Amino acid sequence: MKDLYYVLMKNNLGNASTCRKLIKQGKITVNGEVIKDHKYPVKFSDQIIYQQTILKAQPFTYIMLNKPKGYICANHDLKYPCVIDLITNKDCYCLGRLDKDTTGLLILTDDHSLSKKLLLPSNHVIKKYLVEIQKKITNNLKEVFLQGIIIDHNIKCLPAEFEMIDDFHCYLSISEGKYHQIKKMFKSLDNEVVNLKRIEFGSLKLDERLKEGEFRDLTNQEILSLL
Ligand code: URA
């Protein structure tokens, strides 16, 4: 939920002080009622009206992108194309990062507080990946990943959930976001990641109808599940 004055700002009615003033002057109605509290908590379903115009109650943009290979998770780069080039709202930035050669689910948003919350290491948001490996794997790895793999010589990863698909494919769910984590985990096991695709981020699943490079807005239900 967002403060009413913030929603007004996002609807381009002025800066914070102008928007608070509009509310204080009784110029804004929420669901037909004049609201004079600038911190009134707005819900998606609220109908907010200013001068006979309905304002958007959702002031932020939340995008699901199926990231293609070759793009870096940044807004500007001199050398490589950036994921921001693929979407229309250029005020957004990536919620977490995927390597240049990783594909799949990437969230882009302009909601700083959501990114802060979801990226907080203590929140342990689960990220699930589809992994293709160079050398044959066995189901014994389930226990090994649960014990916590050591990477970078002495850094112990948190327990990860390994699900074998076939000799060269598995799902791996991790609750951290260390640099090149999955690649390093398999390297520690004397193996190598050939292809990596993120398919889940917290409660969110990659919409498989999105081809690589395509994106869509999150639905209200998807947004609420992340908040
Ligand atoms: N782990 C990796 O090694 N790379 C990614 O892009 C994400 C997780």
Side-chain angles (χ1 to χ4, degrees), residues 47-138:
Q47 190 183 58
I48 307 162
I49 295 184
Y50 170 64
Q51 294 186 335
Q52 281 102 49
T53 303
I54 298 178
L55 306 185
K56 257 177 45 181
Q58 175 46 264
F60 295 116
T61 302
Y62 302 93
I63 288 169
M64 172 191 293
L65 168 74
N66 185 354
K67 180 191 170 297
K69 283 192 184 192
Y71 282 77
I72 60 166
C73 289
N75 286 33
H76 308 282
D77 193 77
L78 293 175
K79 210 165 162 196
Y80 300 110
C82 299
V83 288
I84 197 80
D85 303 335
L86 296 165
I87 65 168
T88 38
N89 185 339
K90 306 297 180 195
D91 293 333
C92 287
Y93 54 89
C94 305
L95 205 162
R97 282 166 190 270
L98 294 174
D99 296 339
K100 185 156 86 49
D101 55 355
T102 301
T103 60
L105 175 56
L106 186 68
I107 303 167
L108 293 112
T109 184
D110 51 1
D111 181 352
H112 293 266
S113 64
L114 177 77
S115 357
K116 254 207 211 133
K117 181 183 142 191
L118 292 179
L119 296 177
L120 219 60
S122 56
N123 265 345
H124 298 305
V125 174
I126 307 282
K127 277 85 65 175
K128 184 169 180 177
Y129 293 83
L130 170 63
V131 194
E132 186 182 342
I133 313 296
Q134 194 178 52
K135 297 183 200 165
K136 236 178 174 182
I137 43 172
T138 65

Side-chain angles (χ1 to χ4, degrees), residues 133 135-138 141 162 164 166-170 191:
I133 313 296
K135 297 183 200 165
K136 236 178 174 182
I137 43 172
T138 65
L141 290 183
F162 169 90
M164 192 164 159
D166 60 35
D167 289 350
F168 296 97
H169 297 87
C170 66
N191 209 329

Side-chain angles (χ1 to χ4, degrees), residues 97-99 102 129 174 178 180-184 196:
R97 282 166 190 270
L98 294 174
D99 296 339
T102 301
Y129 293 83
I174 58 173
K178 299 190 195 303
H180 291 334
Q181 182 165 344
I182 294 189
K183 290 175 187 160
K184 287 177 177 175
L196 190 59

